[in-house]
Amino acid sequence: MIDNDVRRPALLSRLSAALNQPWTLTLVSAPAGAGKTRLLCQWAHEVGDDPVTDVVWLALPRGAVDLGELRSAIARVADRRLTTALERVSGAATADAARALARALSATDRRVVLIIDDVHHAESTQLGLLLSAFVQAVPGNAHVVLSGRGTGAVPVARRRITGVALKLGVRDLAFTADEIRSFFRARDIRVSQGEISAILRRTEGWATGLQLMVVPAIDESHLTPLPLRGDAQAVADYFLEEVLADLDEELREFLLVTSVPEVFTLELAQALSKGTPTTMPIDRLVRLSVVAAQPGDEAVEYHYHPVLREFLLARLRARGRSTVEALEAIAAEWFAGRQDHPAALRHAILSGDPECIEVILRRCGMHLILTGHAAAVLEAITHVSPRLRADPAVRMLLAAAELDLGDASAAAAALPSLAGAGESVAARRWRTGIDLHTALRRGGLLEALDRGEPDLDEPIGEAPLDTYAHLQAAMGELYVGRLDRADEFARLASDQARTTGMAAAELQAGAILNTSALFRGRLRDVVDSATRLDDRWQALGRPESPFYEVTRVWRYWVPYEAMREDDAECALIAAAAVIDNGSEPAIARGLRGMLSLVRAERTDGPHDVALELLDTLAPRDDAPLPVHWYAMMGSFAVHAFHRLEEPTLRDCFLEAMTRGLGAAGDAGVMRAMAALHDRRHALAREELATVLEGAAPCLLPASLIDAWLVEAALDVHAGEPDRAQLSLATALALAEPEGHARRVALADPVIGRLLAARATPGSRTRFADEVRERLATAGVLVEEELTERERVVLAALTRRATLRQIAQQEFISPNTVKTHVRNIYRKLGVSDREAVTAAAHALGIG
């Protein structure tokens, strides 16, 4: 083995296993520098240690026309019978002679491994046919390995005329992370895990790439300052000698012009080559493993190794800037024509031509924003002339991009002055979308909707502008609580986005519809639609989308509300991309609040958590969120403030909720919950009255569950058992369709006692049994029903009987009565005679 070579046991095992296959051919085909020869040298050394195996190595010389060199190589095997058989084989350059040469190997009882390296040198048709005939006639005691940058003119390898035991390509030969670490360790060079990842990205595990990185690293003993660049002198020297030297001028030119895009198809290659036929050059380059091919969505796509592409681009730039600009502009136009807007804009920017950038921006700019590439649009605008930047359409594009990235101030500065009577329909639609988008960031949504909605009912026929405006209108209507209108605009935007391939816009529209279903209380629908949206996200290539991340949160929040097995905390943490990137600051703020809610039960710093809840969940004009969202989070937050024992911060939160929700009944329910906790029962009744009578409708259906749970607790405390039973039954009936168990768990402790005692018809349903089970699993409820004797004792207690009187009545000792009373107090969760009497009345006892 060569000094410092990394042993590659996985590949060596695959090569050795191929010897035991019924087929007698192995193919190793990869570009120059992939490590073919080094690997085969290692394997030949290992296989050659077998006493009954002979390894024959032939490096096929350039220009060979017959099998003379192969015959001489086989003759080196020290076996008299094989030597005799070879002497009888004709030296003619015919297929019959080639087959006879192969059959001569059966004369020896030893295993013969023939490694024919540099098989790409077999460029003549005659030599290709001879090798093909030889390989097909090889007997079972022999195995042939054809290795090279391609199979050249050998049809046996290309057409699979005969069986192939093993085929190794460039991906198989690529060094793994562990092998890269071993490679540099053998050269006393330290590499971190991050550096290994960077090396893999740059070299794709290319063996020669690793070697080229070592040369300047030897003195430093680490790789930190060593990016492997295609224009580095060592790299350039290598490619000039090992790649371009084998190609004629026509192929070299083809390589240069097609290095402009990261990937190209036959059509794009033809455009870059100015109409020159490209099928034959690409076929030759594929056979030489210079270019890699892979199936694309519509056509086969080709690409060069990253470092080779950099080398080619460096040589192309050496011809002058105008050459590169012209090719980049051709690529930009080609990608734009195929609706690949990100690639079109990228090549337009690389062209450096303001006119090309202007054309692409006008054609693709809004589409790019709606597909999640607002940052690229902003970058492109920096490359255009001041005259173009002053154009109203470009300024609105700039504003839309800034808004998409969360900078409302920059968007306001970019907007052109208010339009006059001559403003086009398209410009008016664009301005409406920007006006709504700005209001979503800075407030004033109702006014913006009133200004813009009359103009939005009919599409204008420009899909990106229609989609943008309809999306902003859908978001605005969702935020102000008009869910029907939000759904209407979201469906319009979704249909347009899907038709025109605007992935980010389609996901945002889907998230609006999913969130609307959540606010309507259709929790089961939310999970189903989130699953469908997840499938669509996968089909779209898993693009980054803050709105998709919110949908993912709802998918986990629903089982959290139902107290089923859930991972809401992990889902909220997974939405960190939304929190971190800053493009949706209000949503990020809300997600942080939800995460604090989930964590509030086990916090070590209750005051800090309560402050965070107030900061992240209370309505704010400068960072608006949907009113239904405040209603949904509000009751959970009030319970959290109670657990954290922070009544002052809770009251600040309730004041903000009252301002934010206005006349909606949800705020009244939250205030009633607080009053119940503070034992201000009359105030709690007063707050609930307008809600339960229907004078103050709730935004959120689940708020009525909270209202009836509060009412049931108030009834217990008022000693009205019949009303308590009816109120609890109503709450459970409202909670059952969507499984709202957590709201029951968070209610006043007396609700748990009512459930545990099964005192009401409503608490003896299948759903009530499920709730009890979940509450018991969560440690909220310890189910211990009163025994028959304990119920008799409890009835006597409510009649003010003394312990001695109860003992005499039941013919038991006073000590036994005391034991029963202790158990009753423990099971009902009470501590005095008044409380036990109220609980007994709620249970219908006494």
Side-chain angles (χ1 to χ4, degrees):
M1 191 166 69
I2 301 173
D3 263 355
N4 290 336
D5 264 5
V6 175
R7 189 175 182 279
R8 312 188 68 184
L11 288 175
L12 294 172
S13 296
R14 291 177 67 184
L15 286 166
S16 295
L19 291 180
N20 299 319
Q21 296 291 317
W23 314 113
T24 57
L25 175 64
T26 288
L27 298 174
V28 182
S29 179
K36 303 179 295 297
T37 301
R38 286 177 178 267
L39 173 67
L40 291 174
C41 282
Q42 290 183 18
W43 183 61
H45 181 76
E46 292 190 3
V47 172
D49 286 342
D50 183 353
V52 297
T53 300
D54 286 301
V55 178
V56 176
W57 187 292
L58 170 65
L60 197 66
R62 192 185 303 275
V65 295
D66 57 30
L67 300 185
E69 288 82 2
L70 177 58
R71 181 185 183 121
S72 299
I74 295 172
R76 293 198 293 269
V77 176
D79 186 296
R80 183 178 56 78
R81 288 171 297 174
L82 176 58
T83 301
T84 302
L86 287 175
E87 290 174 351
R88 292 197 292 267
V89 175
S90 167
T94 64
D96 287 341
R99 285 189 284 269
L101 179 62
R103 287 193 292 270
L105 293 167
S106 62
T108 178
D109 55 6
R110 299 175 62 78
R111 181 166 61 180
V112 181
V113 176
L114 296 169
I115 300 176
I116 304 177
D117 200 10
D118 294 332
V119 72
H120 54 278
H121 288 161
E123 296 177 343
S124 72
T125 302
Q126 178 184 346
L127 181 55
L129 292 173
L130 293 177
L131 279 171
S132 177
F134 175 83
V135 168
Q136 291 181 78
V138 168
N141 68 311
H143 194 91
V144 177
V145 179
L146 297 182
S147 173
R149 301 176 195 176
T151 56
V154 186
V156 63
R158 291 207 316 276
R159 300 176 190 168
R160 303 284 183 92
I161 292 174
T162 189
V164 178
L166 175 66
K167 183 174 182 180
L168 298 179
V170 62
R171 291 187 178 181
D172 301 293
L173 294 173
F175 274 61
T176 65
D178 286 341
E179 288 172 340
I180 289 174
R181 183 181 288 106
S182 299
F183 177 90
F184 285 105
R185 186 185 297 130
R187 290 153 179 80
D188 295 324
I189 299 174
R190 302 184 305 275
V191 286
S192 67
Q193 189 59 44
E195 286 172 327
I196 290 174
S197 298
I199 292 166
L200 270 172
R201 284 194 302 272
R202 294 294 298 118
T203 66
E204 296 183 349
W206 178 42
T208 295
L210 303 179
Q211 294 284 357
L212 291 169
M213 294 186 81
V214 166
V215 177
I218 292 174
D219 294 336
E220 299 289 342
S221 295
H222 59 83
L223 294 178
T224 302
L226 302 170
L228 181 63
R229 295 179 54 85
D231 55 359
Q233 189 58 52
V235 176
D237 290 344
Y238 173 80
F239 282 127
L240 284 171
E241 179 180 347
E242 296 293 334
V243 177
L244 296 193
D246 288 336
L247 308 180
D248 56 35
E249 192 59 37
E250 180 183 350
L251 275 182
R252 292 187 187 188
E253 183 65 22
F254 181 85
L255 280 174
L256 291 177
V257 298
T258 53
S259 67
V260 168
E262 291 181 4
V263 297
F264 60 90
T265 62
L266 283 171
E267 288 186 4
L268 178 53
Q270 192 164 5
L272 293 167
S273 302
K274 299 180 180 179
T276 302
T278 56
T279 304
M280 290 184 62
I282 288 179
D283 185 54
R284 289 177 63 193
L285 292 173
V286 169
R287 282 192 284 123
L288 289 171
S289 297
V290 174
V291 65
Q294 61 186 23
D297 293 336
E298 298 179 0
V300 177
E301 295 177 344
Y302 304 91
H303 74 277
Y304 299 113
H305 188 282
V307 182
L308 173 58
R309 179 169 173 259
E310 286 182 9
F311 163 74
L312 295 170
L313 283 172
R315 290 180 64 82
L316 191 62
R317 293 188 190 103
R319 294 185 175 184
R321 183 171 180 80
S322 60
T323 301
V324 179
E325 287 179 358
L327 290 168
E328 293 284 8
I330 291 171
E333 180 65 28
W334 190 87
F335 281 113
R338 280 141 189 86
Q339 305 294 304
D340 189 345
H341 305 293
L345 186 62
R346 184 169 61 252
H347 285 288
I349 293 172
L350 289 171
S351 77
D353 181 356
E355 292 185 8
C356 176
I357 296 173
E358 177 181 354
V359 169
I360 298 301
L361 278 176
R362 290 187 182 278
R363 289 181 62 179
C364 311
M366 198 65 238
H367 199 295
L368 283 159
I369 292 173
L370 290 171
T371 51
H373 296 89
V377 171
L378 290 181
E379 181 190 354
I381 291 175
T382 64
H383 291 271
V384 303
S385 65
R387 175 194 60 78
L388 180 59
R389 281 199 295 274
D391 182 275
V394 174
R395 290 176 65 183
M396 282 196 283
L397 187 66
L398 177 59
E402 294 285 12
L403 284 167
D404 193 73
L405 294 173
D407 194 338
S409 298
L415 274 176
S417 58
L418 291 176
E423 187 175 41
S424 68
V425 173
R428 189 166 62 251
R429 178 58 51 90
W430 204 336
R431 187 182 296 278
T432 297
I434 290 175
D435 187 28
L436 290 168
H437 203 164
T438 303
L440 282 163
R441 298 284 193 224
R442 309 181 78 173
L445 264 174
L446 281 170
E447 297 83 353
L449 288 167
D450 290 342
R451 284 194 302 270
E453 276 208 0
D455 184 48
L456 292 177
D457 288 332
E458 293 295 330
I460 64 170
E462 294 197 25
L465 296 183
D466 282 334
T467 304
Y468 177 63
H470 287 148
L471 265 184
Q472 307 317 317
M475 288 287 287
E477 294 289 10
L478 183 76
Y479 274 47
V480 301
R482 298 192 299 225
L483 301 184
D484 289 342
R485 290 291 277 169
D487 289 353
E488 179 184 343
F489 284 122
R491 290 191 181 96
L492 282 171
S494 179
D495 291 344
Q496 293 158 346
R498 190 155 192 158
T499 301
T500 52
M502 292 180 282
E506 183 185 340
L507 290 173
Q508 184 176 350
I512 292 169
L513 291 168
N514 182 259
T515 304
S516 175
L518 179 77
F519 292 163
R520 294 174 190 274
R522 301 200 300 259
L523 302 192
R524 301 179 197 279
D525 290 349
V526 169
V527 175
D528 292 341
S529 64
T531 300
R532 291 193 298 273
L533 195 61
D534 186 67
D535 292 340
R536 184 61 181 156
W537 176 69
Q538 299 280 354
L540 290 170
R542 307 175 72 179
E544 289 188 9
S545 167
F547 302 100
Y548 168 74
E549 293 295 335
V550 171
T551 306
R552 188 199 298 249
V553 169
W554 296 153
R555 188 175 177 182
Y556 288 92
W557 187 263
V558 168
Y560 173 80
E561 281 214 36
M563 292 188 73
R564 296 185 183 277
E565 286 193 17
D566 62 81
D567 210 352
E569 183 173 348
C570 288
L572 286 160
I573 293 171
V578 182
I579 296 173
D580 293 340
N581 69 17
S583 65
E584 294 294 334
I587 293 176
R589 172 176 166 264
L591 289 176
R592 285 196 295 272
M594 293 173 68
L595 189 56
S596 297
L597 271 179
V598 173
R599 293 172 169 174
E601 297 180 12
R602 58 177 191 275
T603 179
D604 294 328
H607 184 66
D608 291 339
V609 172
L611 284 172
E612 185 173 5
L613 290 174
L614 178 62
D615 180 57
T616 53
L617 295 180
R620 261 176 42 187
D621 292 338
D622 62 337
L625 283 170
V627 288
H628 284 80
W629 185 87
Y630 291 125
M632 185 173 71
M633 292 297 118
S635 63
F636 291 111
V638 170
H639 287 304
F641 283 118
H642 291 160
R643 288 196 302 274
L644 298 169
E645 298 181 354
E646 291 286 349
T648 302
L649 294 180
R650 178 206 66 190
D651 290 344
C652 292
F653 176 79
L654 288 173
E655 289 177 12
M657 277 293 181
T658 300
R659 290 193 303 271
L661 295 178
D666 310 79
V669 175
M670 294 176 213
R671 294 192 297 269
M673 292 163 57
L676 172 64
H677 181 270
D678 296 346
R679 300 182 182 276
R680 301 169 67 188
H681 297 164
L683 177 59
R685 291 271 192 200
E686 183 182 334
E687 293 286 3
L688 281 184
T690 56
V691 175
L692 298 182
E693 293 167 4
C698 291
L699 291 168
L700 202 72
S703 293
L704 281 174
I705 301 171
D706 292 325
W708 284 107
L709 289 170
V710 173
E711 181 76 358
L714 290 172
D715 292 338
V716 171
H717 292 298
E720 300 182 56
D722 294 337
R723 287 190 58 174
Q725 293 171 17
L726 180 61
S727 297
L728 177 59
T730 303
L732 290 171
L734 292 170
E736 182 172 4
E738 300 296 340
H740 287 283
R742 190 170 293 276
R743 292 175 184 271
V744 181
L746 295 175
D748 189 273
V750 74
I751 300 299
R753 295 198 292 273
L754 288 175
L755 272 173
R758 294 175 170 82
T760 73
S763 66
R764 293 195 290 271
T765 64
R766 181 177 178 179
F767 174 68
D769 290 340
E770 291 177 2
V771 171
R772 274 188 289 271
E773 181 182 344
R774 293 175 207 164
L775 268 59
T777 300
V780 176
L781 177 69
V782 178
E783 279 205 79
E784 290 187 85
E785 292 191 54
L786 297 177
T787 66
E788 185 61 34
R789 179 57 63 87
E790 287 167 351
R791 294 176 75 86
V792 171
V793 172
L794 177 58
L797 288 173
T798 64
R799 296 192 299 270
R800 302 290 179 179
T802 66
L803 299 186
R804 182 173 296 277
Q805 290 171 333
I806 296 172
Q808 291 172 348
Q809 172 188 322
E810 296 299 318
F811 303 102
I812 55 178
S813 72
N815 285 336
T816 301
V817 174
K818 290 179 182 179
T819 299
H820 287 320
V821 171
R822 282 196 299 270
N823 288 339
I824 291 168
Y825 275 44
R826 176 176 56 80
K827 290 181 180 181
L828 295 182
V830 297
S831 58
D832 54 45
R833 180 66 72 99
E834 288 73 18
V836 82
T837 301
H841 287 162
L843 297 173
I845 298 173

